[in-house]
Amino acid sequence: MLTFIAILVLLAVLMAFRVPIAFAMGIAGTLGLAAQLGMRPALAVLERTFFDTSASFILVAIPLFILMAELLTAGDVTRRAIVACQSWIGHVRGGLAMATVAASVLLAALVGSSTASTAAMSASAFPEMRAHRYSDRLAAAVVSVGGTLAVVVPPSIVLVVYGVLTETSIGKLFIAGIIPGLLTATGLAVVIKVIAHTTDQAPKGEPFVLKTAVKQSRHVIPMVVLMVAVIGAIYGGIASPSEAAALGVMGSLIIVLMQRTLSFVQLNKSISSAIRATVMIVAIVACSAIFSNYLAFTRITHAMLEFVATTEMRREVIMGIIILVLLVMGMFMDQLAILSLAMPLAFPTAMALDYDPVWFGIVVTKTVEIGLLTPPLGLNVYVAAAQTRVPLGTIFRGILPFLGMEIIVLILLLSFPQITLFLPDLMMAR
């Protein structure tokens, strides 16, 4: 037990000194295995674990989905989606902010990364809202919360990593994220509408022009078709997530080439960005497996399962504790760090309590999504603040009503699992 505590302290110290989470977990796990088994057996476990994890075929989906997002962003397709949504509903009071949320849903279905989505929205939607006399507080808050939709709406990189870490079907996770994602977007739109009618932060937009809206939508139709094709291929069982990701990359490349919006320099930059992000994620997954192996050898996981089996606490109480811990972790860590640290213990516990792994995955990603907005870390808020030059305190105050809505949606997902499992159950029945 003393060795285990020492390893946890080492992990905390490494993270405190801003060592990347992958290296921190890899170092702590390797030293823990060495203390438990000896150096040579520990190195053997390290070699096998790192290779087996990083060679997993399902990880192919990660670079492909990231590359798809990079191509569409570099090809100016994502900005056009924002403009199209604004042209349809930007005329009502608060409509420009609601259009930003709608565009965030489209962007989330193509980007898969919350920070990338927030950065794109901050660069495109925020200047428009400021030009139409929206308050900086509301405008910056909207682009921050809109970006979090990429955590739940497929193809979410967080869902892919959760699926790899827990060996849960990524296809089912993607389908399960659709309704919670749309429910969240609807809740955000309701909050915007209430703010627009109770404060002066959101003025009425310009008159609606059908011709302009139709014209702007021309550029978005190929993107919507691609989105439906990728998700439809997974839902219909035609393609695995990795194969659907390859379809997405091919479709993205065709779209940007046909629209002549992608240069060779941008293509090279997109591929480089996808490679860098992929290396980081795969390193986190592999090093998380090393730390998980250490936990297995210490029998901490086994002890946790024994506690769950013998405790008189209701399973809802234990799940509530897990959710609370994840929310607190979200205040200080990014989403991938939370998954890699928490899932080796939280997932077996949830399975011992007889919860559905797909449902639990969506609940976990929802708590991670909330963590992207909560101080002191609030990663999306920092991204929005850097892009918009709006003070952090102003954005955090603007986020409060949206944070309340996020908590309500989380409670709904916890109380009514069928919200999450309805589409995956239909998928299994086909």
Side-chain angles (χ1 to χ4, degrees):
M1 179 58 82
L2 289 177
T3 303
F4 176 67
I5 294 174
I7 292 299
L8 289 183
V9 170
L10 173 63
L11 178 61
V13 169
L14 290 173
M15 292 173 61
F17 279 96
R18 298 188 177 275
V19 175
I21 183 65
F23 298 145
M25 294 188 70
I27 293 169
T30 302
L31 292 178
L33 286 169
Q36 198 82 17
L37 307 173
M39 183 55 73
R40 294 191 66 175
L43 291 177
V45 172
L46 174 67
E47 179 184 5
R48 188 192 71 246
T49 302
F50 205 94
F51 176 80
D52 290 347
T53 306
S54 59
S56 174
F57 175 72
I58 196 62
L59 288 176
V60 173
I62 293 177
L64 292 176
F65 278 127
I66 294 174
L67 181 57
M68 180 176 110
E70 292 287 344
L71 288 172
L72 291 172
T73 301
D76 203 36
V77 177
T78 53
R79 185 192 63 82
R80 293 179 177 184
I82 297 170
V83 173
C85 291
Q86 289 173 349
S87 66
W88 281 102
I89 59 176
H91 60 284
V92 302
R93 192 174 186 86
L96 202 52
M98 287 188 282
T100 300
V101 171
S104 295
V105 174
L106 292 176
L107 203 57
L110 296 166
V111 172
S113 166
S114 62
T115 51
S117 181
T118 301
M121 285 295 166
S122 298
S124 302
F126 179 81
E128 283 292 317
M129 285 189 278
R130 175 177 273 178
H132 285 79
R133 292 179 289 108
Y134 278 71
S135 71
D136 285 354
R137 175 175 166 177
L138 176 61
V142 167
V143 297
S144 298
V145 297
T148 63
L149 292 169
V151 175
V152 177
V153 175
S156 163
I157 299 301
V158 173
L159 287 177
V160 174
V161 173
Y162 171 88
V164 172
L165 291 175
T166 63
E167 298 183 359
T168 304
S169 168
I170 293 175
K172 291 179 183 177
L173 287 168
F174 278 1
I175 301 306
I178 294 175
I179 294 179
L182 294 177
L183 180 63
T184 301
T186 303
L188 298 180
V190 169
V191 173
I192 291 170
K193 195 67 175 174
V194 171
I195 292 174
H197 285 276
T198 56
T199 70
D200 58 354
Q201 296 185 66
K204 187 175 180 179
E206 297 176 355
F208 173 69
V209 181
L210 179 61
K211 183 178 179 180
T212 302
V214 172
K215 182 180 178 181
Q216 296 292 354
S217 298
R218 286 182 307 140
H219 303 294
V220 182
I221 292 175
M223 186 173 72
V224 174
V225 171
L226 176 63
M227 178 180 68
V228 172
V230 170
I231 301 302
I234 297 173
Y235 183 77
I238 300 171
S240 68
S242 297
E243 293 164 342
L247 172 67
V249 171
M250 173 101 36
S252 301
L253 194 56
I254 291 173
I255 289 172
V256 294
L257 289 177
M258 287 182 62
Q259 296 185 355
R260 298 179 181 180
T261 54
L262 183 70
S263 66
F264 179 78
V265 173
Q266 290 172 321
L267 175 62
N268 183 52
K269 184 178 178 181
S270 297
I271 295 173
S272 298
S273 298
I275 291 173
R276 284 195 298 271
T278 301
V279 169
M280 176 194 71
I281 293 171
V282 172
I284 289 174
V285 171
C287 291
S288 173
I290 294 169
F291 194 75
S292 296
N293 270 340
Y294 167 65
L295 291 179
F297 279 110
T298 60
R299 296 182 63 81
I300 294 295
T301 305
H302 180 73
M304 181 72 73
L305 297 180
E306 280 190 344
F307 169 77
V308 170
T310 58
T311 184
E312 296 182 358
M313 294 173 62
R314 295 178 59 184
R315 70 173 194 159
E316 292 83 2
V317 175
I318 298 176
M319 179 55 65
I321 294 172
I322 293 174
I323 297 302
L324 183 61
V325 170
L326 291 173
L327 287 173
V328 173
M329 290 176 71
M331 295 179 181
F332 303 97
M333 302 179 188
D334 65 73
Q335 58 253 39
L336 296 182
I338 295 170
L339 289 181
S340 56
L341 282 172
M343 287 310 100
L345 288 177
F347 182 76
T349 303
M351 296 307 98
L353 294 171
D354 201 28
Y355 284 109
D356 187 278
V358 174
W359 171 84
F360 184 63
I362 299 302
V363 169
V364 167
T365 55
K366 189 65 188 174
T367 61
V368 167
E369 176 187 324
I370 293 172
L372 290 168
L373 301 172
T374 51
L377 182 58
L379 189 59
N380 274 27
V381 177
Y382 279 83
V383 172
Q387 292 275 349
T388 63
R389 306 296 182 185
V390 177
L392 283 171
T394 301
I395 304 179
F396 277 124
R397 285 194 297 275
I399 277 172
L400 286 177
F402 297 101
L403 206 53
M405 177 57 70
E406 294 275 10
I407 297 295
I408 290 173
V409 173
L410 176 60
I411 292 172
L412 287 175
L413 296 180
L414 288 167
S415 304
F416 304 101
Q418 276 307 115
I419 294 176
T420 299
L421 298 176
F422 175 70
L423 289 180
D425 287 347
L426 286 181
M427 183 181 176
M428 292 176 62
R430 292 172 66 90

